[in-house]
Amino acid sequence: MKPESIRSLEDVSKIPFTVKTDLRDYYPLGLLAVPQHRLYCLHASSGTTGKPIVVAYTRGDLDRWTRLMGRTFDVAGVRKGDIVQNMYGYGLFTGGLGFHYGARAVGATVVPTSVGNTKRQLMLLKDLQSTVAACTPSYMVYLCEASRVEGYNPKRDFALRIGLFGAEPWSEEARKRMEDTFGLRAHDCYGLSELYGPGVGIECDQRNGLHVWGDEFLVETIDPDSGEVLEPGTEGELVFTMLSREAMPLLRYRTRDLSRVFEQECACGRCHGRIQRIKGRSDDMLIVGGVNVFPSQIEHVLMNVPDLGDQYQIIVSREQLDRLSVKVETPKNKVNDPGLLKKAQDEILAVLGINADVELVEEGTLPRSEGKARRVIDLRPKE
Ligand SMILES: [Zn+2]
């Protein structure tokens, strides 16, 4: 490839993909496109295995990221005068500082509580009357329950009006729980550390997909198996090309996230394109006995059954055949309710086509997450 090879947008598809392992293979700074002395800061992704991925920013990159985050906050309706309680982790993870910069860009007041220490989070939500909550959706769902356990009346005691939830996929049912509990409006935010961090996409008040900043990101969808570019509107893996990044301008970066690009203009009037909410990461997709299952689909089913709690765990094991087990919390007096158990199993079978072993466990039994939730335990031998 030479710069002259690119004459039109279509020519972009001639560029080879960049994949996550490229970033690992060139760890830590082998993919820099500027001399090291021009770097303003570094972040790193939370690597679950081995070395993390390091992402680098020039001063210009950081200014651009701040602007994108500012727009993201603006679309969600965050304004000067708002108090943003930022419960994303501060540190190498891009979430904490990314949302911090966004709050500053719109002139809101930011409270950098970072993750964890739930009792203190709730105390500050009340005492400071924070109006915006920024955190992972699984943590916010946990706060729904924790606020009641701690004796708060969420709608009366707190002043939350906007939620900015991202870093993991979440369901419409989770949205309903968060909105019903706190009386806020929940917006899905999309981002990846490799593409600055948060601030790639955000739901506007139409909440019909997420706007992706078209002046910074060129979006394609591809067939995850063949790599072929798909027509707009077809579901596939999202691939991003960054248009102004200086330090690490990734070209055709494969996200592993499955979505589709909307062609129609949004009723809000913004002309930045839209993608559908992320159903799951192709890495997170479980194949159980030949059936594709996303953890978010199981969440969707469980949250639709009255008396089932917010907390669940999915365990996949293999004896001769794959087995899907789901542990889900329920109030103490329902743990031995055969009708409820059957309802949960029937719903999973009806929606996903899988016979799951459901186990009802008492509220408070399953581990709580303060960052991204670990919902799935896959006990099957690695192939
Ligand atoms: Zn819109």
Side-chain angles (χ1 to χ4, degrees):
M1 292 296 298
K2 292 215 160 51
E4 317 66 281
S5 318
I6 307 291
R7 296 272 170 221
S8 70
L9 270 183
E10 285 72 50
D11 291 337
V12 171
S13 62
K14 295 178 191 163
I15 303 173
F17 294 117
T18 311
V19 294
K20 202 165 202 163
T21 47
D22 293 329
L23 292 145
R24 289 223 172 87
D25 292 347
Y26 290 91
Y27 173 86
L29 293 172
L31 290 179
L32 275 194
V34 298
Q36 185 268 322
H37 68 83
R38 283 198 56 206
L39 298 184
Y40 192 77
C41 70
L42 296 168
H43 277 276
S45 75
S46 47
T48 42
T49 49
K51 302 272 191 192
I53 283 171
V54 174
V55 277
Y57 306 73
T58 63
R59 179 67 199 244
D61 290 334
L62 209 71
D63 289 347
R64 251 186 307 281
W65 186 25
T66 299
R67 270 203 302 280
L68 297 178
M69 280 310 292
R71 285 192 211 162
T72 300
F73 273 61
D74 182 71
V75 168
V78 184
R79 300 286 180 263
K80 192 176 167 67
D82 273 310
I83 298 176
V84 180
Q85 189 155 326
N86 186 6
M87 299 175 271
Y88 284 104
Y90 280 68
L92 282 174
F93 173 53
T94 51
L97 281 169
F99 281 90
H100 190 97
Y101 299 147
R104 288 187 59 184
V106 294
T109 307
V110 60
V111 186
T113 51
S114 197
V115 286
N117 205 338
T118 300
K119 283 187 186 176
R120 193 183 63 186
Q121 298 281 12
L122 292 167
M123 182 185 79
L124 290 174
L125 276 178
K126 179 172 183 228
D127 294 349
L128 299 174
Q129 290 288 289
S130 307
T131 54
V132 180
C135 61
T136 59
S138 53
Y139 189 59
M140 199 64 192
V141 165
Y142 171 50
L143 286 183
C144 293
E145 172 198 338
S147 58
R148 292 201 183 97
V149 171
E150 294 297 322
Y152 293 97
N153 174 336
K155 274 192 188 152
R156 190 193 65 207
D157 293 335
F158 306 129
L160 289 173
R161 63 184 199 93
I162 294 170
L164 298 168
F165 305 123
E168 60 188 358
W170 47 290
S171 65
E172 288 298 325
E173 286 67 28
R175 183 190 324 259
K176 195 168 179 311
R177 285 219 180 170
M178 297 188 277
E179 294 191 337
D180 289 350
T181 302
F182 290 101
L184 52 72
R185 217 169 145 72
H187 291 261
D188 193 359
C189 313
Y190 177 68
L192 283 153
S193 291
E194 301 89 309
L195 311 171
Y196 292 110
V200 175
I202 177 75
E203 279 179 321
C204 65
D205 54 7
Q206 301 291 317
R207 302 203 292 190
N208 184 11
L210 286 78
H211 287 284
V212 171
W213 306 118
D215 52 342
E216 182 58 43
F217 303 103
L218 183 66
V219 191
E220 298 171 276
T221 35
I222 61 161
D223 179 322
D225 297 322
S226 69
E228 214 149 303
V229 178
L230 301 171
E231 288 296 315
T234 317
E235 186 176 280
E237 180 182 341
L238 292 173
V239 172
F240 286 87
T241 296
M242 300 170 89
L243 302 176
S244 342
R245 184 76 175 266
E246 293 172 324
M248 280 173 89
L250 299 180
L251 303 179
R252 302 197 82 209
Y253 184 67
R254 289 187 62 160
T255 61
R256 318 300 296 172
D257 289 331
L258 301 179
S259 176
R260 62 194 177 91
V261 175
F262 292 127
E263 283 181 292
Q264 309 84 345
E265 264 182 39
C266 183
C268 78
R270 291 184 182 86
C271 49
H272 293 276
R274 276 174 306 147
I275 55 169
Q276 189 177 46
R277 295 188 70 200
I278 310 292
K279 191 156 104 192
R281 193 151 278 208
S282 47
D283 301 345
D284 295 341
M285 191 180 75
L286 296 164
I287 303 177
V288 182
V291 180
N292 297 347
V293 185
F294 285 103
S296 58
Q297 292 175 297
I298 294 176
E299 174 177 311
H300 171 91
V301 173
L302 296 176
M303 285 199 170
N304 262 324
V305 179
D307 288 326
L308 293 185
D310 306 321
Q311 302 295 329
Y312 62 94
Q313 201 169 51
I314 300 163
I315 301 146
V316 193
S317 57
R318 180 174 292 159
E319 281 151 30
Q320 279 170 320
L321 296 168
D322 287 347
R323 272 170 51 129
L324 179 77
S325 312
V326 178
K327 284 185 185 179
V328 57
E329 290 189 356
T330 187
K332 194 172 180 180
N333 62 339
K334 296 277 177 186
V335 171
N336 294 313
D337 182 340
L340 182 61
L341 183 72
K342 184 170 183 325
K343 174 108 181 92
Q345 297 194 145
D346 288 352
E347 286 293 313
I348 293 175
L349 180 64
V351 177
L352 302 173
I354 293 178
N355 270 307
D357 298 322
V358 177
E359 187 186 340
L360 302 176
V361 298
E362 194 182 324
E363 270 172 354
T365 320
L366 296 174
R368 265 52 176 161
S369 87
E370 296 189 330
K372 297 190 198 188
R374 280 199 198 90
R375 304 283 199 198
V376 180
I377 300 172
D378 196 336
L379 301 171
R380 293 175 295 187
K382 296 268 172 293
E383 272 147 33

